[in-house]
Amino acid sequence: MDKSPGLPGCSYLNPERTLGEIRINLLECKVCFEPFNSEQRGRRPQNLCCGHVLCLECITALSHPLLGKLECPFCRQLCSVDSTSPCQALNDLQELVLPWRPSSPDRPHRTSSLTRAALQLQTSFGGWGTLINPTGIAALGSSGTLVIVHDGEKRVVVFSTLGRKLHSFGKRGKAVGEICFPMDVAVTPAGCVVVTDPGDRAVKVFTSRGDHLITIKDSFQLPWGVDIHISGHLLVSDAQAGVLTRMKVDYSQRVIVECHKAISDLQCPRAVACCRLTGNTAVMEHPTDVPHPAEGRPYRRLRVFTKDFHLIYQTDSFSLTLQSTVQLNMSALSFDRDGAVIVTDPYQGFIWSLGKLENGPVLTPIVGNHLIRPVSLVLLNDMLITLDGGDHTVKIFSNKPE
């Protein structure tokens, strides 16, 4: 069976979709996820000495101001800023496949209605070194303690909401008690920390202090998102198998009591969230067999199920875009205390409320400033807390005056 040449894993691509894949996989910086632009100094693609390519703005942001060096966020090689060079090949490719480009950045201008979003930034902490490419965040009860997974030497970091680092655990690796590549994290009502590790094709459970309890490997191909069902069971999405697994674990005995497929017809499911009020479960799918909408933006599908996993609503990024003045690109998700679905837009740096989807979506921007690339979020008391992968920080928003 033939496959289209070029990008790996992309079969039977039509020209429009191929261009979309090129824009996403080659012509944007994989740190800030902004398109490269040779006409803007900060967005010019630059080669590191290790061969990876970042935009000049990210190289400047990640480098040590005195030593003039940075650690490559992909291979960890130490690179000198002075040794970087323009990536002419990507500039030429951009000229070839994007003959027309607006003079302004690819990101749309934010309208006044978006900048007047409901929540305001209260504080932020972290930054490169403290956090390295963070991917998941969860709250430890209502105590104000935050659990974050990232690409550091110890993969799980625990902070107070004031930004004080309390402790860390989960050494990098595949041995017992170690974590290879963490993607998401959840905290059980009993305070156990659950981490999905697609690098080890496993789900790993620890105490809140970092003691290893159990590793679950045989049930998953590529575990991705995790949350706690209203029943207390674990919900884990498997991006490769296309299923949502529900598990009951006896943490004191360190055994799996029950494990079954709650939903089995998903397409590359990633983020998953369960509503504390209704028990509804939302899943974000990343289908690969759907043509990309205009401008090469990725297609996302959001499905909401009852607590018994019956589908009650489905929408997608293209349909939601038709209802708004900006192109909506969904990624992470959560529920607010009233049962409304909250989603992040990592391309435009927004957080949106979609309302209670059983009655149809009502798009409302709730964060419109101070975000670069929100990758995960959690609601705690009256605060919305998000991980910003663009500058490797935790940012806390609320409707209280700053």
Side-chain angles (χ1 to χ4, degrees), residues 315-352:
T315 188
D316 56 62
S317 53
F318 182 72
S319 300
L320 292 171
T321 294
L322 297 178
Q323 304 178 40
S324 65
T325 58
V326 296
Q327 188 166 13
L328 185 64
N329 301 279
M330 301 180 291
S331 181
L333 55 83
S334 186
F335 286 91
D336 70 12
R337 64 178 62 183
D338 298 320
V341 176
I342 308 296
V343 298
T344 66
D345 186 334
Y347 281 81
Q348 301 175 85
F350 296 139
I351 297 178
W352 296 81

PDB file of all heavy atoms in Angstrom, residues 315-352:
ATOM      1  N   THR A 315     -18.840  18.330  19.207  1.00  0.00           N
ATOM      2  CA  THR A 315     -18.553  19.478  18.347  1.00  0.00           C
ATOM      3  C   THR A 315     -17.096  19.403  17.922  1.00  0.00           C
ATOM      4  O   THR A 315     -16.361  18.515  18.354  1.00  0.00           O
ATOM      5  CB  THR A 315     -18.872  20.813  19.045  1.00  0.00           C
ATOM      6  OG1 THR A 315     -18.752  21.891  18.102  1.00  0.00           O
ATOM      7  CG2 THR A 315     -17.908  21.071  20.206  1.00  0.00           C
ATOM      8  N   ASP A 316     -16.664  20.311  17.069  1.00  0.00           N
ATOM      9  CA  ASP A 316     -15.275  20.299  16.610  1.00  0.00           C
ATOM     10  C   ASP A 316     -14.776  21.719  16.417  1.00  0.00           C
ATOM     11  O   ASP A 316     -15.549  22.683  16.452  1.00  0.00           O
ATOM     12  CB  ASP A 316     -15.127  19.488  15.316  1.00  0.00           C
ATOM     13  CG  ASP A 316     -16.031  19.979  14.205  1.00  0.00           C
ATOM     14  OD1 ASP A 316     -15.873  21.140  13.777  1.00  0.00           O
ATOM     15  OD2 ASP A 316     -16.910  19.215  13.766  1.00  0.00           O
ATOM     16  N   SER A 317     -13.478  21.839  16.211  1.00  0.00           N
ATOM     17  CA  SER A 317     -12.856  23.163  16.116  1.00  0.00           C
ATOM     18  C   SER A 317     -13.383  23.949  14.922  1.00  0.00           C
ATOM     19  O   SER A 317     -13.529  25.169  14.988  1.00  0.00           O
ATOM     20  CB  SER A 317     -11.333  23.008  16.029  1.00  0.00           C
ATOM     21  OG  SER A 317     -10.972  22.125  14.987  1.00  0.00           O
ATOM     22  N   PHE A 318     -13.669  23.269  13.829  1.00  0.00           N
ATOM     23  CA  PHE A 318     -14.156  23.969  12.647  1.00  0.00           C
ATOM     24  C   PHE A 318     -15.557  24.533  12.891  1.00  0.00           C
ATOM     25  O   PHE A 318     -15.837  25.692  12.563  1.00  0.00           O
ATOM     26  CB  PHE A 318     -14.163  23.025  11.446  1.00  0.00           C
ATOM     27  CG  PHE A 318     -14.612  23.678  10.172  1.00  0.00           C
ATOM     28  CD1 PHE A 318     -13.793  24.592   9.516  1.00  0.00           C
ATOM     29  CD2 PHE A 318     -15.853  23.396   9.636  1.00  0.00           C
ATOM     30  CE1 PHE A 318     -14.205  25.210   8.347  1.00  0.00           C
ATOM     31  CE2 PHE A 318     -16.275  24.001   8.466  1.00  0.00           C
ATOM     32  CZ  PHE A 318     -15.453  24.906   7.822  1.00  0.00           C
ATOM     33  N   SER A 319     -16.437  23.745  13.489  1.00  0.00           N
ATOM     34  CA  SER A 319     -17.795  24.224  13.767  1.00  0.00           C
ATOM     35  C   SER A 319     -17.790  25.392  14.739  1.00  0.00           C
ATOM     36  O   SER A 319     -18.532  26.362  14.570  1.00  0.00           O
ATOM     37  CB  SER A 319     -18.640  23.076  14.335  1.00  0.00           C
ATOM     38  OG  SER A 319     -18.731  22.001  13.428  1.00  0.00           O
ATOM     39  N   LEU A 320     -16.936  25.308  15.760  1.00  0.00           N
ATOM     40  CA  LEU A 320     -16.871  26.389  16.738  1.00  0.00           C
ATOM     41  C   LEU A 320     -16.296  27.660  16.131  1.00  0.00           C
ATOM     42  O   LEU A 320     -16.672  28.766  16.505  1.00  0.00           O
ATOM     43  CB  LEU A 320     -16.046  25.957  17.944  1.00  0.00           C
ATOM     44  CG  LEU A 320     -16.680  24.868  18.812  1.00  0.00           C
ATOM     45  CD1 LEU A 320     -15.687  24.364  19.843  1.00  0.00           C
ATOM     46  CD2 LEU A 320     -17.932  25.392  19.497  1.00  0.00           C
ATOM     47  N   THR A 321     -15.368  27.501  15.181  1.00  0.00           N
ATOM     48  CA  THR A 321     -14.791  28.667  14.512  1.00  0.00           C
ATOM     49  C   THR A 321     -15.858  29.445  13.757  1.00  0.00           C
ATOM     50  O   THR A 321     -15.826  30.686  13.705  1.00  0.00           O
ATOM     51  CB  THR A 321     -13.675  28.229  13.557  1.00  0.00           C
ATOM     52  OG1 THR A 321     -12.598  27.687  14.330  1.00  0.00           O
ATOM     53  CG2 THR A 321     -13.142  29.399  12.741  1.00  0.00           C
ATOM     54  N   LEU A 322     -16.809  28.751  13.172  1.00  0.00           N
ATOM     55  CA  LEU A 322     -17.876  29.413  12.430  1.00  0.00           C
ATOM     56  C   LEU A 322     -18.757  30.282  13.332  1.00  0.00           C
ATOM     57  O   LEU A 322     -19.451  31.169  12.848  1.00  0.00           O
ATOM     58  CB  LEU A 322     -18.745  28.367  11.720  1.00  0.00           C
ATOM     59  CG  LEU A 322     -18.043  27.516  10.655  1.00  0.00           C
ATOM     60  CD1 LEU A 322     -19.013  26.494  10.081  1.00  0.00           C
ATOM     61  CD2 LEU A 322     -17.472  28.393   9.550  1.00  0.00           C
ATOM     62  N   GLN A 323     -18.727  30.003  14.648  1.00  0.00           N
ATOM     63  CA  GLN A 323     -19.565  30.747  15.574  1.00  0.00           C
ATOM     64  C   GLN A 323     -18.828  31.889  16.267  1.00  0.00           C
ATOM     65  O   GLN A 323     -19.399  32.568  17.113  1.00  0.00           O
ATOM     66  CB  GLN A 323     -20.118  29.801  16.641  1.00  0.00           C
ATOM     67  CG  GLN A 323     -20.892  28.623  16.067  1.00  0.00           C
ATOM     68  CD  GLN A 323     -21.368  27.684  17.149  1.00  0.00           C
ATOM     69  OE1 GLN A 323     -21.803  28.108  18.205  1.00  0.00           O
ATOM     70  NE2 GLN A 323     -21.294  26.385  16.885  1.00  0.00           N
ATOM     71  N   SER A 324     -17.552  32.081  15.948  1.00  0.00           N
ATOM     72  CA  SER A 324     -16.767  33.111  16.628  1.00  0.00           C
ATOM     73  C   SER A 324     -16.074  33.995  15.608  1.00  0.00           C
ATOM     74  O   SER A 324     -16.076  33.728  14.417  1.00  0.00           O
ATOM     75  CB  SER A 324     -15.730  32.469  17.557  1.00  0.00           C
ATOM     76  OG  SER A 324     -14.782  31.743  16.800  1.00  0.00           O
ATOM     77  N   THR A 325     -15.461  35.059  16.092  1.00  0.00           N
ATOM     78  CA  THR A 325     -14.768  36.001  15.219  1.00  0.00           C
ATOM     79  C   THR A 325     -13.304  35.637  15.020  1.00  0.00           C
ATOM     80  O   THR A 325     -12.610  36.279  14.253  1.00  0.00           O
ATOM     81  CB  THR A 325     -14.854  37.426  15.793  1.00  0.00           C
ATOM     82  OG1 THR A 325     -14.283  37.422  17.112  1.00  0.00           O
ATOM     83  CG2 THR A 325     -16.299  37.886  15.880  1.00  0.00           C
ATOM     84  N   VAL A 326     -12.820  34.622  15.741  1.00  0.00           N
ATOM     85  CA  VAL A 326     -11.441  34.157  15.595  1.00  0.00           C
ATOM     86  C   VAL A 326     -11.446  32.647  15.403  1.00  0.00           C
ATOM     87  O   VAL A 326     -12.414  31.972  15.734  1.00  0.00           O
ATOM     88  CB  VAL A 326     -10.578  34.521  16.825  1.00  0.00           C
ATOM     89  CG1 VAL A 326     -10.458  36.016  16.973  1.00  0.00           C
ATOM     90  CG2 VAL A 326     -11.159  33.899  18.089  1.00  0.00           C
ATOM     91  N   GLN A 327     -10.367  32.134  14.858  1.00  0.00           N
ATOM     92  CA  GLN A 327     -10.271  30.703  14.636  1.00  0.00           C
ATOM     93  C   GLN A 327      -9.923  30.010  15.935  1.00  0.00           C
ATOM     94  O   GLN A 327      -8.923  30.312  16.579  1.00  0.00           O
ATOM     95  CB  GLN A 327      -9.221  30.393  13.582  1.00  0.00           C
ATOM     96  CG  GLN A 327      -9.218  28.938  13.164  1.00  0.00           C
ATOM     97  CD  GLN A 327      -8.423  28.702  11.898  1.00  0.00           C
ATOM     98  OE1 GLN A 327      -7.690  29.573  11.477  1.00  0.00           O
ATOM     99  NE2 GLN A 327      -8.573  27.538  11.312  1.00  0.00           N
ATOM    100  N   LEU A 328     -10.778  29.087  16.339  1.00  0.00           N
ATOM    101  CA  LEU A 328     -10.617  28.414  17.623  1.00  0.00           C
ATOM    102  C   LEU A 328      -9.852  27.111  17.449  1.00  0.00           C
ATOM    103  O   LEU A 328     -10.190  26.290  16.603  1.00  0.00           O
ATOM    104  CB  LEU A 328     -11.991  28.142  18.240  1.00  0.00           C
ATOM    105  CG  LEU A 328     -11.999  27.545  19.646  1.00  0.00           C
ATOM    106  CD1 LEU A 328     -11.379  28.523  20.635  1.00  0.00           C
ATOM    107  CD2 LEU A 328     -13.419  27.196  20.064  1.00  0.00           C
ATOM    108  N   ASN A 329      -8.813  26.931  18.258  1.00  0.00           N
ATOM    109  CA  ASN A 329      -8.008  25.713  18.225  1.00  0.00           C
ATOM    110  C   ASN A 329      -7.953  25.152  19.642  1.00  0.00           C
ATOM    111  O   ASN A 329      -7.333  25.742  20.521  1.00  0.00           O
ATOM    112  CB  ASN A 329      -6.598  26.014  17.723  1.00  0.00           C
ATOM    113  CG  ASN A 329      -6.609  26.613  16.339  1.00  0.00           C
ATOM    114  OD1 ASN A 329      -6.712  25.931  15.348  1.00  0.00           O
ATOM    115  ND2 ASN A 329      -6.529  27.950  16.268  1.00  0.00           N
ATOM    116  N   MET A 330      -8.621  24.031  19.870  1.00  0.00           N
ATOM    117  CA  MET A 330      -8.778  23.490  21.215  1.00  0.00           C
ATOM    118  C   MET A 330      -7.660  22.513  21.560  1.00  0.00           C
ATOM    119  O   MET A 330      -7.143  21.818  20.691  1.00  0.00           O
ATOM    120  CB  MET A 330     -10.123  22.783  21.345  1.00  0.00           C
ATOM    121  CG  MET A 330     -11.318  23.677  21.073  1.00  0.00           C
ATOM    122  SD  MET A 330     -12.879  22.776  21.251  1.00  0.00           S
ATOM    123  CE  MET A 330     -12.813  21.660  19.839  1.00  0.00           C
ATOM    124  N   SER A 331      -7.314  22.463  22.858  1.00  0.00           N
ATOM    125  CA  SER A 331      -6.300  21.519  23.308  1.00  0.00           C
ATOM    126  C   SER A 331      -6.681  20.959  24.673  1.00  0.00           C
ATOM    127  O   SER A 331      -7.438  20.014  24.758  1.00  0.00           O
ATOM    128  CB  SER A 331      -4.930  22.188  23.353  1.00  0.00           C
ATOM    129  OG  SER A 331      -3.948  21.275  23.765  1.00  0.00           O
ATOM    130  N   ALA A 332      -6.200  21.565  25.755  1.00  0.00           N
ATOM    131  CA  ALA A 332      -6.529  21.098  27.100  1.00  0.00           C
ATOM    132  C   ALA A 332      -7.958  21.487  27.448  1.00  0.00           C
ATOM    133  O   ALA A 332      -8.529  22.413  26.864  1.00  0.00           O
ATOM    134  CB  ALA A 332      -5.550  21.690  28.105  1.00  0.00           C
ATOM    135  N   LEU A 333      -8.538  20.813  28.436  1.00  0.00           N
ATOM    136  CA  LEU A 333      -9.927  21.110  28.815  1.00  0.00           C
ATOM    137  C   LEU A 333     -10.152  20.814  30.281  1.00  0.00           C
ATOM    138  O   LEU A 333      -9.392  20.097  30.936  1.00  0.00           O
ATOM    139  CB  LEU A 333     -10.906  20.327  27.937  1.00  0.00           C
ATOM    140  CG  LEU A 333     -10.770  18.806  27.846  1.00  0.00           C
ATOM    141  CD1 LEU A 333     -11.439  18.110  29.008  1.00  0.00           C
ATOM    142  CD2 LEU A 333     -11.368  18.297  26.551  1.00  0.00           C
ATOM    143  N   SER A 334     -11.247  21.392  30.787  1.00  0.00           N
ATOM    144  CA  SER A 334     -11.672  21.170  32.158  1.00  0.00           C
ATOM    145  C   SER A 334     -13.136  21.567  32.257  1.00  0.00           C
ATOM    146  O   SER A 334     -13.749  21.997  31.279  1.00  0.00           O
ATOM    147  CB  SER A 334     -10.820  21.992  33.140  1.00  0.00           C
ATOM    148  OG  SER A 334     -11.145  21.674  34.479  1.00  0.00           O
ATOM    149  N   PHE A 335     -13.718  21.421  33.443  1.00  0.00           N
ATOM    150  CA  PHE A 335     -15.068  21.881  33.732  1.00  0.00           C
ATOM    151  C   PHE A 335     -14.992  22.921  34.849  1.00  0.00           C
ATOM    152  O   PHE A 335     -14.173  22.792  35.769  1.00  0.00           O
ATOM    153  CB  PHE A 335     -15.961  20.741  34.209  1.00  0.00           C
ATOM    154  CG  PHE A 335     -16.384  19.775  33.132  1.00  0.00           C
ATOM    155  CD1 PHE A 335     -15.636  18.653  32.859  1.00  0.00           C
ATOM    156  CD2 PHE A 335     -17.562  19.988  32.417  1.00  0.00           C
ATOM    157  CE1 PHE A 335     -16.025  17.747  31.888  1.00  0.00           C
ATOM    158  CE2 PHE A 335     -17.966  19.092  31.435  1.00  0.00           C
ATOM    159  CZ  PHE A 335     -17.202  17.969  31.168  1.00  0.00           C
ATOM    160  N   ASP A 336     -15.860  23.937  34.790  1.00  0.00           N
ATOM    161  CA  ASP A 336     -15.932  24.850  35.921  1.00  0.00           C
ATOM    162  C   ASP A 336     -16.927  24.306  36.944  1.00  0.00           C
ATOM    163  O   ASP A 336     -17.532  23.240  36.763  1.00  0.00           O
ATOM    164  CB  ASP A 336     -16.254  26.274  35.474  1.00  0.00           C
ATOM    165  CG  ASP A 336     -17.683  26.443  34.952  1.00  0.00           C
ATOM    166  OD1 ASP A 336     -18.510  25.524  35.131  1.00  0.00           O
ATOM    167  OD2 ASP A 336     -17.971  27.496  34.357  1.00  0.00           O
ATOM    168  N   ARG A 337     -17.106  25.027  38.026  1.00  0.00           N
ATOM    169  CA  ARG A 337     -17.934  24.519  39.125  1.00  0.00           C
ATOM    170  C   ARG A 337     -19.403  24.407  38.748  1.00  0.00           C
ATOM    171  O   ARG A 337     -20.180  23.701  39.402  1.00  0.00           O
ATOM    172  CB  ARG A 337     -17.790  25.421  40.348  1.00  0.00           C
ATOM    173  CG  ARG A 337     -18.297  26.834  40.143  1.00  0.00           C
ATOM    174  CD  ARG A 337     -18.158  27.659  41.415  1.00  0.00           C
ATOM    175  NE  ARG A 337     -16.775  27.798  41.813  1.00  0.00           N
ATOM    176  CZ  ARG A 337     -16.381  28.429  42.913  1.00  0.00           C
ATOM    177  NH1 ARG A 337     -17.291  28.972  43.718  1.00  0.00           N
ATOM    178  NH2 ARG A 337     -15.099  28.532  43.206  1.00  0.00           N
ATOM    179  N   ASP A 338     -19.831  25.094  37.668  1.00  0.00           N
ATOM    180  CA  ASP A 338     -21.217  25.024  37.216  1.00  0.00           C
ATOM    181  C   ASP A 338     -21.435  23.998  36.112  1.00  0.00           C
ATOM    182  O   ASP A 338     -22.543  23.861  35.601  1.00  0.00           O
ATOM    183  CB  ASP A 338     -21.674  26.402  36.717  1.00  0.00           C
ATOM    184  CG  ASP A 338     -21.645  27.450  37.816  1.00  0.00           C
ATOM    185  OD1 ASP A 338     -22.031  27.119  38.949  1.00  0.00           O
ATOM    186  OD2 ASP A 338     -21.205  28.578  37.548  1.00  0.00           O
ATOM    187  N   GLY A 339     -20.385  23.307  35.712  1.00  0.00           N
ATOM    188  CA  GLY A 339     -20.511  22.286  34.694  1.00  0.00           C
ATOM    189  C   GLY A 339     -20.235  22.749  33.284  1.00  0.00           C
ATOM    190  O   GLY A 339     -20.446  21.991  32.327  1.00  0.00           O
ATOM    191  N   ALA A 340     -19.766  23.986  33.106  1.00  0.00           N
ATOM    192  CA  ALA A 340     -19.418  24.482  31.771  1.00  0.00           C
ATOM    193  C   ALA A 340     -18.034  23.959  31.376  1.00  0.00           C
ATOM    194  O   ALA A 340     -17.154  23.806  32.220  1.00  0.00           O
ATOM    195  CB  ALA A 340     -19.430  26.006  31.745  1.00  0.00           C
ATOM    196  N   VAL A 341     -17.858  23.700  30.080  1.00  0.00           N
ATOM    197  CA  VAL A 341     -16.583  23.207  29.563  1.00  0.00           C
ATOM    198  C   VAL A 341     -15.636  24.375  29.314  1.00  0.00           C
ATOM    199  O   VAL A 341     -16.015  25.380  28.708  1.00  0.00           O
ATOM    200  CB  VAL A 341     -16.793  22.409  28.265  1.00  0.00           C
ATOM    201  CG1 VAL A 341     -15.447  21.981  27.676  1.00  0.00           C
ATOM    202  CG2 VAL A 341     -17.662  21.183  28.524  1.00  0.00           C
ATOM    203  N   ILE A 342     -14.399  24.239  29.783  1.00  0.00           N
ATOM    204  CA  ILE A 342     -13.352  25.238  29.589  1.00  0.00           C
ATOM    205  C   ILE A 342     -12.272  24.624  28.705  1.00  0.00           C
ATOM    206  O   ILE A 342     -11.849  23.496  28.948  1.00  0.00           O
ATOM    207  CB  ILE A 342     -12.721  25.673  30.931  1.00  0.00           C
ATOM    208  CG1 ILE A 342     -13.800  26.093  31.921  1.00  0.00           C
ATOM    209  CG2 ILE A 342     -11.714  26.796  30.711  1.00  0.00           C
ATOM    210  CD1 ILE A 342     -14.589  27.304  31.510  1.00  0.00           C
ATOM    211  N   VAL A 343     -11.826  25.338  27.677  1.00  0.00           N
ATOM    212  CA  VAL A 343     -10.777  24.817  26.794  1.00  0.00           C
ATOM    213  C   VAL A 343      -9.681  25.864  26.620  1.00  0.00           C
ATOM    214  O   VAL A 343      -9.924  27.071  26.706  1.00  0.00           O
ATOM    215  CB  VAL A 343     -11.327  24.420  25.403  1.00  0.00           C
ATOM    216  CG1 VAL A 343     -12.357  23.311  25.531  1.00  0.00           C
ATOM    217  CG2 VAL A 343     -11.916  25.618  24.671  1.00  0.00           C
ATOM    218  N   THR A 344      -8.461  25.379  26.372  1.00  0.00           N
ATOM    219  CA  THR A 344      -7.353  26.270  26.055  1.00  0.00           C
ATOM    220  C   THR A 344      -7.172  26.331  24.548  1.00  0.00           C
ATOM    221  O   THR A 344      -7.470  25.382  23.829  1.00  0.00           O
ATOM    222  CB  THR A 344      -6.035  25.795  26.682  1.00  0.00           C
ATOM    223  OG1 THR A 344      -5.644  24.547  26.088  1.00  0.00           O
ATOM    224  CG2 THR A 344      -6.173  25.624  28.173  1.00  0.00           C
ATOM    225  N   ASP A 345      -6.669  27.464  24.076  1.00  0.00           N
ATOM    226  CA  ASP A 345      -6.300  27.644  22.677  1.00  0.00           C
ATOM    227  C   ASP A 345      -4.812  27.961  22.646  1.00  0.00           C
ATOM    228  O   ASP A 345      -4.405  29.114  22.841  1.00  0.00           O
ATOM    229  CB  ASP A 345      -7.105  28.786  22.059  1.00  0.00           C
ATOM    230  CG  ASP A 345      -6.868  28.920  20.558  1.00  0.00           C
ATOM    231  OD1 ASP A 345      -5.783  28.517  20.096  1.00  0.00           O
ATOM    232  OD2 ASP A 345      -7.747  29.437  19.856  1.00  0.00           O
ATOM    233  N   PRO A 346      -3.962  26.957  22.417  1.00  0.00           N
ATOM    234  CA  PRO A 346      -2.517  27.186  22.481  1.00  0.00           C
ATOM    235  C   PRO A 346      -1.985  28.007  21.321  1.00  0.00           C
ATOM    236  O   PRO A 346      -0.880  28.535  21.413  1.00  0.00           O
ATOM    237  CB  PRO A 346      -1.952  25.764  22.469  1.00  0.00           C
ATOM    238  CG  PRO A 346      -2.971  24.956  21.740  1.00  0.00           C
ATOM    239  CD  PRO A 346      -4.290  25.558  22.120  1.00  0.00           C
ATOM    240  N   TYR A 347      -2.722  28.114  20.229  1.00  0.00           N
ATOM    241  CA  TYR A 347      -2.247  28.873  19.083  1.00  0.00           C
ATOM    242  C   TYR A 347      -2.410  30.368  19.300  1.00  0.00           C
ATOM    243  O   TYR A 347      -1.599  31.169  18.838  1.00  0.00           O
ATOM    244  CB  TYR A 347      -2.996  28.450  17.814  1.00  0.00           C
ATOM    245  CG  TYR A 347      -2.488  27.163  17.225  1.00  0.00           C
ATOM    246  CD1 TYR A 347      -2.900  25.942  17.751  1.00  0.00           C
ATOM    247  CD2 TYR A 347      -1.584  27.156  16.174  1.00  0.00           C
ATOM    248  CE1 TYR A 347      -2.425  24.753  17.234  1.00  0.00           C
ATOM    249  CE2 TYR A 347      -1.106  25.974  15.654  1.00  0.00           C
ATOM    250  CZ  TYR A 347      -1.524  24.773  16.182  1.00  0.00           C
ATOM    251  OH  TYR A 347      -1.047  23.596  15.682  1.00  0.00           O
ATOM    252  N   GLN A 348      -3.476  30.770  19.978  1.00  0.00           N
ATOM    253  CA  GLN A 348      -3.756  32.185  20.141  1.00  0.00           C
ATOM    254  C   GLN A 348      -3.600  32.672  21.573  1.00  0.00           C
ATOM    255  O   GLN A 348      -3.742  33.857  21.847  1.00  0.00           O
ATOM    256  CB  GLN A 348      -5.176  32.488  19.633  1.00  0.00           C
ATOM    257  CG  GLN A 348      -5.352  32.114  18.168  1.00  0.00           C
ATOM    258  CD  GLN A 348      -6.774  32.298  17.687  1.00  0.00           C
ATOM    259  OE1 GLN A 348      -7.160  33.385  17.295  1.00  0.00           O
ATOM    260  NE2 GLN A 348      -7.552  31.239  17.729  1.00  0.00           N
ATOM    261  N   GLY A 349      -3.297  31.757  22.496  1.00  0.00           N
ATOM    262  CA  GLY A 349      -3.080  32.157  23.871  1.00  0.00           C
ATOM    263  C   GLY A 349      -4.344  32.561  24.591  1.00  0.00           C
ATOM    264  O   GLY A 349      -4.325  33.487  25.401  1.00  0.00           O
ATOM    265  N   PHE A 350      -5.450  31.880  24.335  1.00  0.00           N
ATOM    266  CA  PHE A 350      -6.734  32.173  24.967  1.00  0.00           C
ATOM    267  C   PHE A 350      -7.188  30.996  25.813  1.00  0.00           C
ATOM    268  O   PHE A 350      -6.773  29.854  25.610  1.00  0.00           O
ATOM    269  CB  PHE A 350      -7.829  32.423  23.921  1.00  0.00           C
ATOM    270  CG  PHE A 350      -7.612  33.623  23.055  1.00  0.00           C
ATOM    271  CD1 PHE A 350      -7.889  33.554  21.693  1.00  0.00           C
ATOM    272  CD2 PHE A 350      -7.147  34.813  23.579  1.00  0.00           C
ATOM    273  CE1 PHE A 350      -7.705  34.652  20.876  1.00  0.00           C
ATOM    274  CE2 PHE A 350      -6.955  35.918  22.766  1.00  0.00           C
ATOM    275  CZ  PHE A 350      -7.227  35.836  21.410  1.00  0.00           C
ATOM    276  N   ILE A 351      -8.083  31.287  26.730  1.00  0.00           N
ATOM    277  CA  ILE A 351      -8.872  30.268  27.409  1.00  0.00           C
ATOM    278  C   ILE A 351     -10.337  30.650  27.248  1.00  0.00           C
ATOM    279  O   ILE A 351     -10.720  31.790  27.508  1.00  0.00           O
ATOM    280  CB  ILE A 351      -8.494  30.136  28.889  1.00  0.00           C
ATOM    281  CG1 ILE A 351      -7.027  29.686  29.023  1.00  0.00           C
ATOM    282  CG2 ILE A 351      -9.410  29.151  29.595  1.00  0.00           C
ATOM    283  CD1 ILE A 351      -6.548  29.576  30.453  1.00  0.00           C
ATOM    284  N   TRP A 352     -11.136  29.685  26.787  1.00  0.00           N
ATOM    285  CA  TRP A 352     -12.541  29.929  26.465  1.00  0.00           C
ATOM    286  C   TRP A 352     -13.449  29.076  27.350  1.00  0.00           C
ATOM    287  O   TRP A 352     -13.120  27.944  27.686  1.00  0.00           O
ATOM    288  CB  TRP A 352     -12.841  29.546  25.011  1.00  0.00           C
ATOM    289  CG  TRP A 352     -12.139  30.353  23.969  1.00  0.00           C
ATOM    290  CD1 TRP A 352     -10.857  30.201  23.521  1.00  0.00           C
ATOM    291  CD2 TRP A 352     -12.685  31.430  23.218  1.00  0.00           C
ATOM    292  NE1 TRP A 352     -10.581  31.119  22.538  1.00  0.00           N
ATOM    293  CE2 TRP A 352     -11.687  31.882  22.335  1.00  0.00           C
ATOM    294  CE3 TRP A 352     -13.942  32.052  23.189  1.00  0.00           C
ATOM    295  CZ2 TRP A 352     -11.887  32.925  21.439  1.00  0.00           C
ATOM    296  CZ3 TRP A 352     -14.145  33.091  22.304  1.00  0.00           C
ATOM    297  CH2 TRP A 352     -13.133  33.523  21.451  1.00  0.00           C
TER     298      TRP A 352
END
